[in-house]
Amino acid sequence: MPVMEADKTDPIRAEELKSQANEAFKAHKYAQAIDLYTQAIELNGQNAVYWANRAFAHTKLEEYGSAIQDASKAIEIDPKYSKGYYRRGAAFLAMGKLKEALKDFQQLKKICPNDPDAAKKLKECEKAVMKLKFEEAISVPESERRSVADSIDFHLIDVEPQYTGAKIEGDVVTLDFVKKMIDDFKNQKSLHKRYAFQIVLQVREIMRALPSLVDINIPEGRHLTVCGDVHGQFYDLLNIFELNGLPSDENPYLFNGDFVDRGSFSVEVILTLFAFKCMSPSAMHLSRGNHESKSMNKIYGFEGEVRSKLNETFVELFAEVFCSLPLAYVLNEKVFVAHGGLFSVDGVKLSDIRAIDRFCEPPEEGLMCEILWSDPQPNPGRGPSKRGVGLAFGADVTKRFLQENNLDLIVRSHEVKDEGYEIEHDGKLITVFSAPNYCDQVLSFIHLWWFAIHSLPMVLGKNSLYVDSPFSFQNQVLSCIFLLKLYQ
């Protein structure tokens, strides 16, 4: 953000704004806090505290690129300001950039040699870097790596007589099994590893047969429900099904990435989604998010949860399956659905996305990285990503992509929204986020109804977007169903 000229500084007013920002931060209103810190910076841009505080607020919104920029500015203003190094190191750590984080925590320890928290962070970072070096040293080249799925035969795993949980009879996952499994999960019971292996291995085969961009046809008068990030919030996933019905061929869903991490029930979420996919592939569609990756799963909890609830083999197996998830969907040749967003160059065609070799961990640049990580911005053109990965793209970029591919609308997820959804870019882009109580936000999901399947121009106005009455969750989170109607 620009800093005002010296003759326009107002340190007293800046302090008042900082205090207001601190209160907003304490209330978990991080976007409001950022705005207030920005106003304080505009009145007194040489106060390192303001920059470091805004960096912390950016971190809470997972805007790590912006956090690093602000923390670096705080360090530039005051090279001995410990919180600048702490904030930047924490942001690097959250991005998985361990070596950069280590440098900041080493400097932090020099500045604050007796600070136990600084010593703890340094020790954690050193341990993570050493583990990374060890893993790199013993890693097998990709060309020589054998699929862990090929080494698993779930038929050889015995089910103990005392096991009373959900069971798959033969090779078919039925609705009765899925319902029983969900009930067991609700009662804090585990699924037997034999059946967990069977589900994950079956999903792997289904997904591997799909292209990187999948076309879905929704018949006239039918609908598809698109859900955003769930992030391991199992009971909120069940709320979606309670409110909108269980997945079926008549009531299909598309979950748009970020099924796992952060929440405490990521294993239950992913096994439930995968089980529905096995039960009826046309009832459950799944796209990859940026959190369906090894690096994110190490940092944000899924790997540890899998190791605790299942075993080490499942850690590798889930990683393989995540690499098989499609990157995007096109609905009735008119609606483009992907987790993150658009690209750093114009001219990207659907055929280019379809041709992406997705069977790998997400790279740090290129089409695959950008489709998982990018975000819309209010300004035209392209800009740096607030996350430090991918990019920010404006309404003009959205318009050109839609025109070049004969599309009408982009539906994406990836960002927390105050109302659970947001319509941007002149009505051509919708963000939907489905993890309630994630930074104190609400949940939403979108029904896409097709009343006609030929020549479907988008009408976005009072007659096209309907918000039903809010309803209450067991945790008192308000939520809305959004009916997006496309007319001929």
Side-chain angles (χ1 to χ4, degrees):
M1 291 294 177
V3 178
M4 300 291 284
E5 296 296 329
D7 60 350
K8 294 184 180 179
T9 61
D10 188 343
I12 296 175
R13 177 57 181 158
E15 277 296 301
E16 292 174 354
L17 288 165
K18 184 201 78 169
S19 297
Q20 293 174 22
N22 290 348
E23 291 303 314
F25 187 97
K26 291 175 186 177
H28 308 297
K29 298 177 180 178
Y30 303 119
Q32 181 181 345
I34 289 171
D35 181 59
L36 290 166
Y37 287 131
T38 299
Q39 293 180 49
I41 288 169
E42 289 173 347
L43 293 175
N44 185 6
Q46 294 304 305
N47 190 317
V49 175
Y50 302 167
W51 293 94
N53 285 7
R54 194 172 73 172
F56 196 17
H58 279 302
T59 299
K60 289 293 186 178
L61 293 179
E62 300 181 24
E63 297 171 354
Y64 302 120
S66 296
I68 289 168
Q69 289 181 349
D70 281 356
S72 297
K73 182 64 178 180
I75 293 168
E76 177 188 323
I77 293 169
D78 185 356
K80 294 186 177 181
Y81 182 51
S82 61
K83 284 189 178 180
Y85 295 99
Y86 191 99
R87 303 294 183 228
R88 191 170 70 180
F92 277 134
L93 202 59
M95 293 178 67
K97 296 186 175 183
L98 302 181
K99 294 176 183 178
E100 291 88 341
L102 180 59
K103 292 179 182 178
D104 279 333
F105 289 128
Q106 287 172 336
Q107 186 63 29
L108 177 63
K109 186 69 167 60
K110 290 179 182 178
I111 296 172
C112 306
N114 300 318
D115 185 339
D117 193 38
K120 180 182 177 182
K121 280 293 183 185
L122 177 59
K123 188 174 181 180
E124 288 175 358
C125 199
E126 287 175 336
K127 185 178 179 181
V129 170
M130 289 298 294
K131 182 180 179 182
L132 178 64
K133 289 181 178 179
F134 176 74
E135 290 173 348
E136 289 174 348
I138 65 171
S139 64
V140 178
E142 193 72 35
S143 59
E144 301 175 17
R145 196 168 297 165
R146 185 188 175 201
S147 167
V148 67
D150 295 338
S151 66
I152 301 168
D153 186 350
F154 66 86
H155 298 94
L156 301 178
I157 302 174
D158 293 328
V159 179
E160 300 79 5
Q162 63 269 28
Y163 175 72
T164 60
K167 297 180 180 179
I168 302 173
E169 302 296 337
D171 295 327
V172 179
V173 175
T174 65
L175 179 59
D176 287 341
F177 164 79
V178 180
K179 287 180 175 179
K180 169 62 174 168
M181 182 186 71
I182 289 173
D183 285 339
D184 288 345
F185 287 160
K186 286 165 67 175
N187 293 311
Q188 307 296 307
K189 295 180 181 179
S190 300
L191 180 67
H192 196 281
K193 290 182 179 62
R194 172 194 170 103
Y195 305 120
F197 273 127
Q198 186 171 349
I199 289 168
V200 180
L201 289 169
Q202 188 172 333
V203 164
R204 177 178 177 270
E205 291 307 306
I206 294 171
M207 293 300 183
R208 283 171 62 85
L210 296 174
S212 293
L213 184 148
V214 179
D215 292 288
I216 299 177
N217 178 63
I218 305 170
E220 182 176 355
R222 301 285 287 275
H223 71 273
L224 173 78
T225 302
V226 179
C227 296
D229 304 32
V230 179
H231 276 302
Q233 298 184 193
F234 176 67
Y235 294 96
D236 295 313
L237 173 65
L238 298 189
N239 278 326
I240 292 174
F241 294 150
E242 181 178 345
L243 294 162
N244 194 55
L246 291 174
S248 67
D249 290 342
E250 294 73 35
N251 188 37
Y253 284 81
L254 196 170
F255 279 82
N256 197 24
D258 282 12
F259 323 121
V260 301
D261 283 335
R262 298 197 177 280
S264 301
F265 302 98
S266 291
V267 167
E268 288 79 3
V269 166
I270 199 66
L271 288 177
T272 298
L273 296 177
F274 280 5
F276 276 118
K277 185 67 178 178
C278 294
M279 181 195 79
S280 175
S282 62
M284 178 63 69
H285 305 282
L286 303 168
S287 59
R288 191 174 191 175
N290 62 301
H291 276 266
E292 278 68 60
S293 69
K294 282 185 179 180
S295 59
M296 292 292 103
N297 296 161
K298 281 180 181 293
I299 297 169
Y300 293 100
F302 182 59
E303 181 179 303
E305 184 184 335
V306 171
R307 193 175 284 116
S308 173
K309 293 180 179 179
L310 295 167
N311 58 36
E312 186 69 34
T313 304
F314 275 98
V315 173
E316 292 301 315
L317 183 58
F318 276 119
E320 281 189 15
V321 177
F322 289 165
C323 288
S324 70
L325 292 170
L327 301 177
Y329 289 77
V330 172
L331 313 180
N332 282 32
E333 301 182 352
K334 289 298 176 184
V335 179
F336 179 76
V337 184
H339 179 73
L342 297 182
F343 310 101
S344 56
V345 294
D346 289 330
V348 175
K349 298 297 179 63
L350 296 182
S351 57
D352 298 320
I353 301 170
R354 213 181 304 273
I356 295 173
D357 181 2
R358 71 184 189 278
F359 296 97
C360 61
E361 289 300 312
E364 294 187 2
E365 59 184 9
L367 297 185
M368 183 173 172
C369 169
E370 291 163 359
I371 203 170
L372 296 177
W373 280 96
S374 295
D375 296 293
Q377 65 179 15
N379 299 324
R382 294 177 172 88
S385 169
K386 59 192 177 185
R387 302 173 189 271
V389 186
L391 70 144
F393 59 96
D396 55 331
V397 178
T398 294
K399 182 179 179 181
R400 286 194 297 272
F401 175 79
L402 292 174
Q403 288 177 340
E404 290 168 356
N405 290 284
N406 193 28
L407 298 166
D408 287 336
L409 178 70
I410 294 173
V411 177
R412 43 91 63 183
S413 304
H414 195 40
E415 285 185 288
V416 180
K417 295 298 179 182
D418 290 342
E419 301 299 327
Y421 82 109
E422 186 173 2
I423 302 173
E424 301 172 80
H425 291 184
D426 302 317
K428 296 298 185 181
L429 183 145
I430 299 177
T431 297
V432 58
F433 193 87
S434 302
N437 261 352
Y438 186 96
C439 296
D440 294 335
Q441 307 300 314
V442 299
L443 167 148
S444 75
F445 46 92
I446 292 178
H447 292 313
L448 296 177
W449 294 83
W450 265 262
F451 294 24
I453 56 174
H454 303 293
S455 301
L456 293 168
M458 180 65 56
V459 182
L460 285 171
K462 292 182 179 180
N463 295 324
S464 59
L465 184 67
Y466 295 89
V467 182
D468 286 354
S469 299
F471 42 79
S472 220
F473 285 94
Q474 60 191 24
N475 57 7
Q476 301 303 307
V477 176
L478 294 180
S479 174
C480 296
I481 300 176
F482 304 101
L483 302 177
L484 182 65
K485 298 191 176 183
L486 287 76
Y487 293 97
Q488 187 171 17

